[in-house]
Amino acid sequence: MLPLSHVFQVKSEGPKLVPFFKATCVYFVLWLPSSSPSWVSALIKCLPIFCLWLFLLAHGLGFLLTHPSATRIFVGLVFSAIGDAFLIWQDQGYFVHGVLMFAVTHMLYASAFGMRPLGLRTGLLMVILSGLCYAFLYPNLTGAFTYLVGVYVAIIGFMGWRAMAGLQLVGAAWRWTELAAGTGALLFIVSDLTIALDKFCFPVPYSRAFIMSTYYAAQMLIALSAVESREPVEDYRLSKAK
């Protein structure tokens, strides 16, 4: 059962996310055609991410400056918005630019999640799953995408490992923000895998709706995971190990 203190904290974050939910609704209600890219469609697509910037800033600039993990997630959201804008014009040759921006995002998120605890079994599982995903995509990749997709799969797999390695559902060190980070990373992987399948392998039914819904949910959960700094958790676990 979720501890009462965690319930109150989750509820306290809800009002700060109202702009995000409204912006997400605007995106799905307007549903601007992807075949006609414009700065307006780029703004509408990026608007929920902008709201997540505001969500983190609502905790105070001092919070970001004193919590490196939260700062890295904030900067990751900035690169995500740039990547989203590039992907609006992916058919005009900016797909690779978007991929590179999201690769930077995942490296920042992985850095925010930290390297403790190591979670070798979780890492091994992510290596196997990442390898299977790349093996499935590989026959349909050509040219530079053969290497680019491989590197991207490795980076997002690493991010997923770091997000889920610290997940503990029981014990005094458990935090709801770790569950948010792990779930967010998993949804991000599902979203990006769907993009890859739809672009390189076969048309995925309702791909855009599925990709964007899982993507926005992933970003929201990862942003939520920044609310509690990981540094005290790591210090607690180290003290327990001693």
Side-chain angles (χ1 to χ4, degrees):
M1 182 180 294
L2 197 66
L4 194 58
S5 60
H6 292 312
V7 172
F8 287 141
Q9 186 169 8
V10 172
K11 289 178 67 176
S12 70
E13 298 302 328
K16 301 186 187 77
L17 285 170
V18 169
F20 166 79
F21 288 121
K22 288 183 176 180
T24 302
C25 289
V26 168
Y27 174 83
F28 284 104
V29 169
L30 292 181
W31 200 246
L32 298 177
S34 57
S35 57
S36 302
S38 67
W39 285 108
V40 173
S41 57
L43 175 62
I44 296 301
K45 183 182 182 184
C46 294
L47 195 57
I49 306 304
F50 295 159
C51 291
L52 291 178
W53 296 1
L54 296 177
F55 167 74
L56 290 179
L57 289 172
H59 292 82
L61 187 59
F63 172 79
L64 291 178
L65 294 177
T66 56
H67 295 81
S69 59
T71 302
R72 290 167 192 148
I73 288 175
F74 179 83
V75 178
L77 288 168
V78 173
F79 276 95
S80 293
I82 299 172
D84 281 331
F86 275 130
L87 291 180
I88 286 289
W89 287 278
Q90 59 178 292
D91 293 335
Q92 285 71 38
Y94 289 96
F95 180 76
V96 172
H97 300 72
V99 170
L100 292 175
M101 291 300 102
F102 278 106
V104 174
T105 293
H106 296 315
M107 288 188 286
L108 286 163
Y109 286 169
S111 177
F113 298 144
M115 291 302 297
R116 295 195 300 257
L118 195 57
L120 289 177
R121 282 185 288 188
T122 304
L124 179 60
L125 178 61
M126 290 306 301
V127 167
I128 294 172
L129 292 177
S130 298
L132 290 174
C133 289
Y134 182 66
F136 185 84
L137 296 169
Y138 182 80
N140 300 285
L141 303 175
T142 58
F145 283 117
T146 303
Y147 310 101
L148 184 62
V149 171
V151 172
Y152 188 86
V153 167
I155 291 174
I156 195 172
F158 178 75
M159 185 275 290
W161 169 34
R162 296 323 311 149
M164 289 183 273
L167 181 59
Q168 290 189 1
L169 298 179
V170 295
W174 181 84
R175 290 191 176 184
W176 66 270
T177 46
E178 293 178 345
L179 179 60
T183 306
L186 183 60
L187 287 173
F188 218 136
I189 292 170
V190 170
S191 179
D192 280 3
L193 178 60
T194 306
I195 291 176
L197 291 174
D198 189 62
K199 185 172 183 65
F200 299 114
C201 300
F202 51 81
V204 177
Y206 307 105
S207 59
R208 183 181 169 192
F210 182 76
I211 289 166
M212 296 309 299
S213 59
T214 51
Y215 168 69
Y216 285 141
Q219 293 283 39
M220 180 197 69
L221 289 168
I222 290 173
L224 268 172
S225 75
V227 170
E228 285 185 338
S229 172
R230 283 168 178 73
E231 287 78 9
V233 180
E234 293 178 353
D235 292 342
Y236 174 85
R237 288 175 180 165
L238 286 175
S239 65
K240 290 290 284 185
K242 293 177 182 178

